[in-house]
Amino acid sequence: MKWKMSERASSDGYPTLGSRMRLEYLFTPIWSIGRCTLLLVLMMSPALLQAQPLIRHEMEIRLQPTNHTIAVEDTITLPETYLSATRGTVHFALHGGLKPESASPDVQVVREQGRSQPAHIGIDTSSFSFSERVPLEHYTVSLPAGQRVFVLKYQGEIHHPLVAQGEEYARSFRETPGTISPQGVYLAGSTYWYPRFSDDLVTFAVDVRLPPTWNAVSQGKRTLHGREQQWMRAGWQSLQPQEEIYLTAGKFTEYSRAAGPIKGMVFLRAPDPGLAKKYLDATAQYIQMYGKLIGPYPYQKFALVENFWQTGYGMPSFTLLGPKVIRFPFILHSSYPHEILHNWWGNGVFVDYQSGNWSEGLTAYLADHLIQEQRGAAVAYRRTALQRYADHVTTGKDFPLTEFRARHSAVTQAVGYDKALMFFHMLRVQLGDDVFTRALQEFYRDRKFQRATFADLRRAFEAIAGRDLQKEFMQWISRPGAPALRVSMATARPDGNGYLLTAAIQQAQAGEGYRLRVPVAVHLEGRDKAYQTTAVMDGKRLELALRTPARPLRLDVDPEFDVFRRLDRSEIPPALSQAFGADRALILLPSAAAHGVRRGYRQLAESWQQGQPEQIEIRSDNEIRELPVDRAVWLFGWENRFRKNMATALADYPVAISDTATGIEGTDFIRGNHSMVINARAPANPAAALTWLATDNIRAMPGLGRKLPHYGKYSYLVFEGDEPVNVAKGQWPVVGSPMSVVVSQADEAAVGKAQGRLAPRRALIEPPVNFSQERMLRDIHWLSRDALRGRGFGMPELHEVAAFVAAEFRQAGLQPAGDHEGSYFQTWTERGGEPEHEVVLKNVVGIIPGGNSQRAGESVVLGAHYDHLGLGWPDVHKNDRG
């Protein structure tokens, strides 16, 4: 039995939320009691729709990718509030050249001048102003009294080529406000491909006609898919309010699978069932996990759509990822869950951008940080987040979270993502996991499909916590900057049956102090577990006094990086982010290198300098006498005359550089085979980075230029080949953190080394299961059933099992590697058994190709047996026969 909410209208004739939010698949009989069936019906209040204006678009669309053109007939329903406020006259903006015409009697459309576009559109708004690239035209629509429904027709060309957007150095990405091309179609709110009346929310239905080999994807639920004469038709609708309407299209191969009540979908630009299976598995896992953590997934599908250029966009109910991106193995459990989670934060609860974007920080905390927490790596993740802030956000670049809209540089990422996720972490530590989780659930329930602010978040947390959190929110959300902690004068003296530890903790930043809850750990003599507590700072200085049951040996302040603060350089390893985040940099080219190598280095340096000539200076190493100390310095080349300076800078680390090789942590990397990148701090100024980049492979230099900005947290990198491919990376150890101090003993007692362990922590939620217990048991039962008779030597049942294994290989996407093209079987004859006879045996062989061209002749072999014990004689024990 299925049940639908009836189509009904409000008193003014406009459909209420009841009709727009129909739940068409949830209502099935739950319990049967005698001869009666009890239905549980969950209804969403019509008050939500009445609280915010909603515009309805019902569009018939024709796309001609080869001509870059679109033709639309749009039936538009305006809310009553529009007409009462404007007396029947409304305004909209549309992409220039689409030439809208009214198809409704007595409705006039007039072009006008001098209007501006809405301020911000959705979580994927570009990092640069699309208004400079999209030719907008503005129109007035005059409607007869009482009329709210009218039809517009328009058509024309939309084709904005991809443009590279540069960041610090060479970290760039390509973007377009929208395009219709033979490679694919991408249309968003920023394209203005449909009439945009304001930044109010919309509902919509689209019926798209495309070339016969194409398919189209939008948010919401698919309503139509099939061939019609010379067209392919695809229909999508969203009954839930949306910030904008997306439409993407291409030559897709489609895969799908149910994930509970949600439909998982994958749209790939080339058939790849193995890749699709991985994403469908991950979709089910993370939707289940986040549904348990936050609340029910807000849409009826989630789709992975392969884009025709490298992107990482999260749309409502689908994500648009680039062709290289989706094939990186780590994406499945890093960026992919991040995009799935955006359906709760950003695309489920919308952001009120004028008051600051809270969505990215919360999503990063509950996706990127949570996944690392589940793997036991949360401390390192938080340290890296704080390191990015320290490396990229100088005083002049800082800004409060209320001013964060979207990421368009390393600075905006360090504030909008890293500072925000640390704020949510501190809130969780302060309130506890239970209150933190229930507050998020409350916020999601109350604000779903509405715009929300940091203030709305605060009210949700205050309601569950039962306390005023205004100061906590204000100091982290509305104030720029970060505290800087220092610890000193740690002393212990005997006190009764224990010891008294005293120390001073200071906030060293300029300006007023922050209210902080600072975790401290005290390592005690003879104890394998550290004594842990939290020190509360209401001012810039705290006189810490702790009574401990045993002699304190070492005091660690914020040992697991739980507090958002500006780290001391000695707390963190040298990293490339310090070089890339510098306000000024000098790149020194090797004057003694061969001409071709020098030219390659210069081209790499100029690619980083492009658009930032005042930030980056390029010179030859024979043009200066000594290295400057007031900026980051890059030393290019094995022949660089200042390479010897690296030896001094790296004196505390396990690395040795010679003319022919570089040894790192006991491994030698030969010069001719490898490209090296090693970072250190300048000996004369630890705040400045000194980095050496060296390769003899000119073909590898462009790739190094593109890739290095994405490895910001590492101290050293080693690459191979022309691509180049990373083969080694790591961080130097932290030496002498000022936040970990030895405790002075007032009685001058001789003490040993501190050995205490910190208490383990649990993740906010357990990780999703990466395998199916039910499927494993099903396979085991099938393989061990009586009909297969133990599949011993030469038994015919072996062939049945071989076919089963080959089918699983094919389903998993392994390439066949048998005797014949398309076959997974290697066959041969063998004599054996009792009595001895000759039989045909098979290996089942599949291949996962590697990605490193330098190792094309190498293989890793994973082997397992699929034969077993037969009937128990003569292969095993005599008593097991049969």
Side-chain angles (χ1 to χ4, degrees):
M1 174 179 177
K2 288 192 175 182
W3 185 88
K4 289 187 181 181
M5 296 176 67
S6 61
E7 224 17 94
R8 59 191 177 92
S10 62
S11 58
D12 63 5
Y14 189 62
T16 68
L17 187 63
S19 63
R20 290 168 184 267
M21 300 300 294
R22 285 190 309 229
L23 305 180
E24 300 186 4
Y25 60 91
L26 289 181
F27 307 112
T28 55
I30 306 299
W31 295 291
S32 291
I33 306 175
R35 299 177 63 184
C36 298
T37 297
L38 175 64
L39 289 174
L40 294 184
V41 180
L42 307 178
M43 298 181 66
M44 193 173 293
S45 170
L48 174 58
L49 177 62
Q50 301 301 325
Q52 52 189 346
L54 288 177
I55 301 168
R56 175 75 176 175
H57 293 270
E58 297 180 12
M59 293 185 276
E60 294 184 4
I61 302 167
R62 294 195 179 201
L63 291 172
Q64 297 273 10
T66 55
N67 299 327
H68 312 296
T69 59
I70 185 173
V72 181
E73 180 176 306
D74 188 358
T75 301
I76 300 169
T77 304
L78 298 175
E80 180 68 33
T81 53
Y82 270 49
L83 302 186
S84 60
T86 62
R87 299 177 182 270
T89 300
V90 294
H91 307 273
F92 70 86
L94 189 65
H95 192 285
L98 292 184
K99 301 175 182 178
E101 298 178 352
S102 172
S104 298
D106 302 323
V107 175
Q108 296 181 345
V109 179
V110 178
R111 183 179 175 186
E112 58 178 15
Q113 302 289 336
R115 286 187 170 269
S116 61
Q117 69 185 66
H120 199 100
I121 307 169
I123 65 172
D124 290 310
T125 296
S126 170
S127 60
F128 62 98
S129 175
F130 278 143
S131 63
E132 300 173 359
R133 300 185 56 199
V134 176
L136 290 183
E137 294 178 352
H138 301 270
Y139 299 88
T140 297
V141 179
S142 298
L143 301 169
Q147 183 171 339
R148 297 185 291 111
V149 181
F150 63 99
V151 180
L152 289 180
K153 291 185 177 181
Y154 52 91
Q155 61 183 346
E157 179 179 307
I158 297 177
H159 183 47
H160 299 282
L162 294 168
V163 173
Q165 283 303 114
E167 276 193 348
E168 290 83 354
Y169 290 38
R171 188 173 185 179
S172 64
F173 45 90
R174 297 193 299 163
E175 288 191 305
T176 173
T179 188
I180 301 171
S181 74
Q183 290 74 42
V185 173
Y186 170 74
L187 301 173
S190 58
T191 318
Y192 287 84
W193 66 278
Y194 62 94
R196 293 189 59 86
F197 292 85
S198 68
D199 62 350
D200 288 336
L201 303 180
V202 301
T203 63
F204 71 89
V206 295
D207 181 349
V208 188
R209 287 170 171 81
L210 309 104
T213 59
W214 283 55
N215 200 351
V217 183
S218 184
Q219 65 253 58
K221 177 184 178 182
R222 185 159 68 184
T223 58
L224 176 67
H225 183 227
R227 186 79 174 266
E228 181 184 89
Q229 298 178 359
Q230 77 273 28
W231 297 97
M232 176 64 74
R233 291 182 65 185
W236 296 87
Q237 72 168 353
S238 177
L239 301 175
Q240 299 99 334
Q242 298 289 291
E243 291 190 293
E244 58 185 306
I245 305 173
Y246 292 96
L247 183 62
T248 184
K251 298 179 180 179
F252 295 130
T253 299
E254 179 182 334
Y255 305 86
S256 64
R257 184 200 305 162
I262 311 304
K263 186 174 185 179
M265 307 180 79
V266 172
F267 295 85
L268 299 178
R269 298 175 67 81
D272 194 335
L275 183 65
K277 180 180 182 298
K278 293 176 183 178
Y279 277 97
L280 291 171
D281 288 344
T283 298
Q285 293 163 10
Y286 285 107
I287 284 180
Q288 178 184 16
M289 184 181 80
Y290 288 124
K292 181 179 179 181
L293 180 66
I294 304 166
Y297 179 76
Y299 295 100
Q300 291 174 281
K301 72 114 176 8
F302 185 78
L304 166 73
V305 182
E306 182 180 359
N307 204 2
F308 57 98
W309 84 95
Q310 302 308 325
T311 53
Y313 293 156
M315 286 76 169
S317 79
F318 74 100
T319 182
L320 195 60
L321 301 182
K324 288 185 178 179
V325 172
I326 64 173
R327 289 168 174 84
F328 291 142
F330 58 85
I331 291 295
L332 273 167
H333 301 291
S334 58
S335 298
Y336 192 59
H338 183 107
E339 302 305 342
I340 290 176
L341 181 56
H342 262 312
N343 287 276
W344 282 265
W345 311 131
N347 291 324
V349 179
F350 305 128
V351 175
D352 183 339
Y353 288 95
Q354 298 310 307
S355 61
N357 182 351
W358 49 267
S359 167
E360 293 298 352
L362 184 55
T363 302
Y365 184 62
L366 295 179
D368 309 63
H369 177 274
L370 177 57
I371 289 168
Q372 294 304 314
E373 186 175 47
Q374 292 168 342
R375 297 173 177 175
V379 175
Y381 184 89
R382 292 193 295 273
R383 185 183 73 174
T384 298
L386 294 173
Q387 183 171 359
R388 283 193 294 263
Y389 180 84
D391 287 341
H392 293 290
V393 185
T394 57
T395 303
K397 295 179 179 179
D398 211 343
F399 59 92
L401 281 169
T402 52
E403 296 179 10
F404 173 65
R405 305 291 181 263
R407 184 193 72 84
H408 56 82
S409 66
V411 173
T412 51
Q413 176 174 328
V415 175
Y417 288 66
D418 296 325
K419 180 177 182 177
L421 78 84
M422 286 298 300
F423 163 69
F424 287 111
H425 177 69
M426 290 187 292
L427 202 59
R428 170 191 168 189
V429 171
Q430 178 178 348
L431 301 178
D433 286 4
D434 180 63
V435 170
F436 182 79
T437 301
R438 287 193 291 122
L440 290 178
Q441 293 168 351
E442 181 79 7
F443 175 66
Y444 176 65
R445 281 194 302 268
D446 287 351
R447 304 303 301 182
K448 185 161 58 174
F449 298 125
Q450 301 177 72
R451 291 192 173 100
T453 65
F454 277 111
D456 295 318
L457 268 167
R458 176 173 60 83
R459 283 188 285 269
F461 277 97
E462 287 177 337
I464 300 300
R467 56 189 293 187
D468 185 352
L469 296 171
Q470 184 170 1
K471 184 172 179 62
E472 282 82 354
F473 271 75
M474 289 293 292
Q475 70 178 0
W476 301 117
I477 305 305
S478 302
R479 177 181 173 182
L485 295 182
R486 302 289 184 268
V487 58
S488 60
M489 298 186 296
T491 305
R493 61 178 177 82
D495 183 53
N497 294 327
Y499 288 81
L500 177 65
L501 168 65
T502 59
I505 303 177
Q506 279 186 286
Q507 297 181 34
Q509 77 281 355
E512 64 178 298
Y514 290 79
R515 177 189 292 175
L516 301 179
R517 295 172 55 85
V518 184
V520 297
V522 184
H523 300 266
L524 305 176
E525 187 175 43
R527 303 292 177 94
D528 61 351
K529 294 181 180 179
Y531 171 81
Q532 293 179 256
T533 188
T534 299
V536 179
M537 295 189 72
D538 282 320
K540 295 192 72 172
R541 182 180 176 90
L542 172 68
E543 298 296 338
L544 184 69
L546 298 176
R547 284 181 169 80
T548 61
R551 184 185 293 275
L553 303 181
R554 192 177 81 228
L555 172 65
D556 292 345
V557 176
D558 192 24
E560 297 181 285
F561 303 96
D562 291 303
V563 178
F564 176 71
R565 56 191 175 87
R566 188 172 290 279
L567 299 181
D568 186 279
R569 284 290 167 198
S570 298
E571 289 185 81
I572 51 180
L576 288 179
S577 56
Q578 187 180 2
F580 284 119
D583 291 332
R584 299 172 62 198
L586 171 66
I587 299 177
L588 290 179
L589 307 180
S591 57
H595 174 72
V597 172
R598 289 201 314 274
R599 183 176 60 187
Y601 280 136
R602 178 168 290 277
Q603 290 173 347
L604 190 163
E606 289 175 348
S607 72
W608 285 353
Q609 187 189 46
Q610 188 175 5
Q612 314 176 70
E614 297 180 359
Q615 180 183 353
I616 300 175
E617 180 185 7
I618 304 172
R619 301 184 69 179
S620 179
D621 63 0
N622 59 4
E623 295 177 351
I624 64 171
R625 291 186 175 183
E626 60 183 23
L627 298 180
V629 297
D630 60 345
R631 68 197 70 184
V633 176
W634 288 83
L635 307 177
F636 279 14
W638 290 90
E639 304 85 357
N640 198 295
R641 60 190 291 261
F642 290 101
R643 194 190 75 189
K644 61 182 182 298
N645 291 57
M646 292 299 298
T648 303
L650 295 167
D652 293 329
Y653 305 121
V655 58
I657 303 172
S658 70
D659 290 336
T660 58
T662 300
I664 301 176
E665 296 183 332
T667 300
D668 288 334
F669 297 97
I670 305 304
R671 169 177 175 172
N673 301 337
H674 299 95
S675 301
M676 308 297 309
V677 184
I678 296 179
N679 177 266
R681 296 192 180 96
N685 179 13
L690 179 63
T691 311
W692 176 56
L693 183 158
T695 182
D696 292 329
N697 187 347
I698 300 172
R699 293 185 295 273
M701 293 178 183
L704 291 171
R706 291 192 310 271
K707 292 185 175 187
L708 289 185
H710 298 275
Y711 288 86
K713 71 178 183 179
Y714 294 104
S715 306
Y716 64 85
L717 298 160
V718 183
F719 295 87
E720 286 183 348
D722 299 344
E723 176 56 22
V725 176
N726 178 247
V727 295
K729 57 180 180 278
Q731 296 177 321
W732 302 133
V734 173
V735 179
S737 168
M739 303 302 290
S740 179
V741 297
V742 175
V743 178
S744 299
Q745 304 300 319
D747 59 3
E748 299 183 352
V751 296
K753 188 176 181 181
Q755 300 290 341
R757 293 180 287 106
L758 301 182
R761 298 189 187 184
R762 295 182 60 183
L764 188 61
I765 189 172
E766 291 302 308
V769 177
N770 290 321
F771 64 92
S772 167
Q773 179 178 334
E774 290 77 16
R775 187 180 66 228
M776 178 179 287
L777 287 172
R778 187 171 63 247
D779 291 348
I780 290 171
H781 288 310
W782 187 87
L783 289 166
S784 61
R785 73 191 197 279
D786 290 345
L788 290 180
R789 299 197 306 154
R791 55 190 188 283
F793 177 81
M795 295 175 65
E797 289 77 16
L798 275 176
H799 300 300
E800 186 177 352
V801 176
F804 167 80
V805 175
E808 291 295 308
F809 279 11
R810 188 180 302 278
Q811 176 67 23
L814 275 66
Q815 296 181 4
D819 296 330
H820 308 289
E821 185 175 354
S823 171
Y824 289 91
F825 300 129
Q826 284 182 348
T827 60
W828 76 100
T829 59
E830 191 78 34
R831 295 191 64 83
E834 188 178 288
E836 185 178 283
H837 60 293
E838 186 174 86
V839 298
V840 175
L841 300 178
K842 297 178 181 178
N843 284 332
V844 191
V845 187
I847 291 178
I848 301 174
N852 186 347
S853 60
Q854 303 298 311
R855 294 181 172 173
E858 302 177 24
S859 298
V860 175
V861 178
L862 293 168
H865 298 289
Y866 69 88
D867 59 345
H868 203 240
L869 304 179
L871 298 178
W873 181 260
D875 301 313
V876 290
H877 307 101
K878 183 175 182 179
N879 292 337
D880 292 336
R881 184 172 183 177

